[in-house]
Amino acid sequence: MQNSRTLPTTMPIFIVCCLVLTTLIETQNAYLPLLNIEVVWVAGACVAVLFLGAGVLKLAPGSVWHDGFACSCLWTWYGYWKPMFSEGSPQFSVFPVYFALLSSWMLFGFINRSPRFDWESQEALRYFQTYLSRFDTRLIAGLLLICLALPEHYLSFPLVMTFFIVRSAFQRCLEIIERL
């Protein structure tokens, strides 16, 4: 049985990026407008597509492409959407904190404890994996890219990002359990 400390975790860089974005927003940092430059957010979208491609082609482990994809989407979301909303829109200060809290809770409260799940919990997780298999993480990631292009549906991105975070956590837990 492997030590759970040696197993890679899910989305720690995404958590840090959410906290950095929140700090930049709350302090009205001078570098914040640089994220709104079209070249910057388009580059973020391209990086997100590259990470998704790496996930689809299985060139990168799930923990790597999930983290990179989520980070790229976060920076693209802010850069593309922010100019379209009024100054001080609460969604840009609330959702990054929400994403960080949700990801942290999934990481520390769920993923890191998965090696200690009892048999019933493991079977329940396998059942959810089977039931949720129609909602593959790669499919949700593709939907997330579509939602980035729809700022008029301002809740679509946070909702699909929530599904992506939860689905990634389920997938990561099963990977850890299968290694035991």
Side-chain angles (χ1 to χ4, degrees), residues 7-118:
L7 297 172
T9 57
T10 298
M11 299 206 291
I13 297 171
F14 176 66
I15 295 167
V16 171
C17 284
C18 288
L19 296 175
V20 167
L21 181 58
T22 300
T23 303
L24 291 174
I25 291 169
E26 292 302 317
T27 61
Q28 290 300 308
N29 192 288
Y31 293 109
L32 199 56
L34 296 176
L35 296 175
N36 299 337
I37 299 172
E38 184 175 1
V39 173
V40 174
W41 61 258
V42 168
C46 291
V47 170
V49 169
L50 287 174
F51 274 109
L52 177 57
V56 168
L57 299 173
K58 299 186 187 222
L59 299 174
S63 59
V64 172
W65 84 261
H66 292 171
D67 206 7
F69 178 81
C71 291
S72 301
C73 283
L74 178 74
W75 294 111
T76 303
W77 167 74
Y78 180 82
Y80 179 56
W81 285 32
K82 178 66 173 140
M84 296 180 204
F85 289 86
S86 62
E87 191 61 36
S89 290
Q91 75 178 11
F92 298 109
S93 58
V94 172
F95 285 126
V97 173
Y98 165 72
F99 296 147
L101 289 173
L102 178 64
S103 298
S104 298
W105 179 62
M106 287 293 182
L107 176 60
F108 297 115
F110 193 60
I111 295 169
N112 285 347
R113 294 180 185 201
S114 60
R116 296 186 299 267
F117 284 176
D118 60 2

Side-chain angles (χ1 to χ4, degrees), residues 130-148:
T130 302
Y131 180 70
L132 293 175
S133 63
R134 351 187 161 127
F135 301 108
D136 186 66
T137 311
R138 295 168 293 205
L139 176 67
I140 295 172
L143 184 58
L144 200 53
L145 288 175
I146 293 169
C147 289
L148 278 173

